[in-house]
Amino acid sequence: MSAALTAAERVAIARHPQRPNITDFIGALFTDFFEQRGDRLAGEDAAILGGVALYHGRPVTVIGTRKGKTLEENLQCNFGMPGPEGYRKALRLMRQAEKFRRPIFTFIDTSGAYPGLEAEERGQGEAIARNLFEMSRLEVPVIAVITGEGNSGGALALGVANRVLMLENAVYAILSPEGFASILWKDAARSAEACELMKLTAPDLLSLGVIDDIVPEPEGGAHLASAIAFRQLDRALTRHLAELDKLSGKALAAERWQKFRSMGAAAPNKEEL
């Protein structure tokens, strides 16, 4: 793993337009993917892609935030910013997975949930909160992978998992560095400084106990040699799934609950700062 990159440089790599997206990961890691659409309440949200697939011959459910690689693709999926319909669709698929005892894989790459007024009117906050609540109780293995940006509750709505993995150059934070700098200093131009303070890189978050594993990337980022990145991720997913398969449904839910309940215990106290 490269330790020479700054946090700001990792943010730039995480945002690279050619970085592998959910469609790439499904094509490389899974077979027989069958997409399922709609939340059965209001409509379809292209910002979240989900369905049933085979992982090494085993039925699983795959869900991920979807970003495009071109302007046209991003317009179609709202630049990877889901609305409430997307989160409700994800929850529908997770409940289905639990019913049929399928492991769940989530792939997270979003700048955050869509912040528009219309999304709030349709229940954005409730949809995200409902996902957090319901995911904490699922009695099947849940593995989340931060593949690019993982910002705000829009990322956490797919991130309440038994194992949270991050690609080496992914980032995971409460909001974007630009938003952090705007709030703290009233100056978005200080985003590079914010990146260092926010502890949003994979090594930072592993040391704090927020994530469970770092998946190495090729030098320069996963977009430069995606086949290598896919192999590394496949190894990690296989290993973690094998560990979770040893637990009962109730033990999986209890472990997941305890994991998030104790989060922050590894953070330094005031005397250590």
Side-chain angles (χ1 to χ4, degrees), residues 27 105 122 192 216 242 248 262:
F105 294 99
R122 298 196 307 273
S248 67
S262 61

Side-chain angles (χ1 to χ4, degrees), residues 2-261:
S2 173
L5 295 175
T6 66
E9 287 170 334
R10 292 192 190 274
V11 170
I13 294 174
R15 291 173 172 175
H16 195 285
Q18 296 304 311
R19 192 168 176 82
N21 60 21
I22 179 62
T23 304
D24 298 318
F25 287 110
I26 288 174
L29 301 173
F30 304 91
T31 61
D32 299 275
F33 177 69
F34 175 70
E35 182 181 357
Q36 296 180 291
R37 299 183 181 184
D39 66 351
R40 300 299 186 266
L41 291 172
E44 161 67 359
D45 185 350
I48 286 187
L49 175 64
V52 180
L54 295 180
Y55 181 63
H56 295 287
R58 177 179 181 178
V60 298
T61 290
V62 184
I63 304 166
T65 44
R66 175 160 46 188
K67 279 185 179 180
K69 296 184 180 180
T70 66
L71 177 58
E72 182 180 5
E73 290 176 350
N74 273 311
L75 288 171
Q76 291 173 353
C77 62
N78 198 33
F79 293 84
M81 296 185 293
E85 294 82 9
Y87 294 115
R88 290 173 182 140
K89 174 174 68 174
L91 181 57
R92 177 174 75 83
L93 298 183
M94 286 187 250
R95 286 171 171 163
Q96 181 192 86
E98 184 177 43
K99 177 179 180 180
F100 293 102
R101 310 306 302 167
R102 291 193 299 261
I104 299 168
F105 294 99
T106 67
F107 293 82
I108 299 167
D109 183 13
T110 180
S111 57
Y114 180 59
L117 178 61
E118 61 270 32
E120 297 297 342
E121 289 174 339
R122 298 196 307 273
Q124 182 79 292
E126 189 278 338
I128 292 173
R130 176 65 58 181
N131 275 28
L132 305 183
F133 174 70
E134 296 289 352
M135 286 189 77
S136 71
R137 307 195 303 172
L138 291 170
E139 295 190 358
V140 292
V142 184
I143 299 177
V145 186
I146 316 297
T147 63
E149 285 188 283
N151 287 345
S152 190
L156 189 57
L158 296 182
V160 182
N162 295 95
R163 299 288 185 272
V164 180
L165 284 52
M166 281 183 72
L167 295 193
E168 183 181 355
N169 293 309
V171 293
Y172 193 27
I174 189 172
L175 79 171
S176 70
E178 293 82 2
F180 183 97
S182 295
I183 292 171
L184 190 62
W185 301 304
K186 310 300 181 186
D187 184 3
R190 296 177 66 178
S191 61
E193 185 178 350
C195 288
E196 298 296 337
L197 289 177
M198 293 174 71
K199 304 299 181 185
L200 45 64
T201 68
D204 288 330
L205 295 168
L206 184 65
S207 69
L208 292 171
V210 175
I211 66 169
D212 302 288
D213 200 0
I214 300 174
V215 180
E217 292 187 36
E219 186 174 356
H223 59 286
L224 297 179
S226 57
I228 296 175
F230 295 146
R231 285 197 297 272
Q232 294 281 15
L233 179 55
D234 187 35
R235 293 190 188 104
L237 292 177
T238 300
R239 174 166 48 84
H240 285 285
L241 183 58
E243 294 172 359
L244 295 175
D245 278 337
K246 299 174 184 177
L247 302 178
S248 67
K250 291 190 180 301
L252 287 166
E255 184 207 62
R256 196 180 309 117
W257 185 91
Q258 185 58 41
K259 169 186 174 63
F260 284 84
R261 183 71 176 85

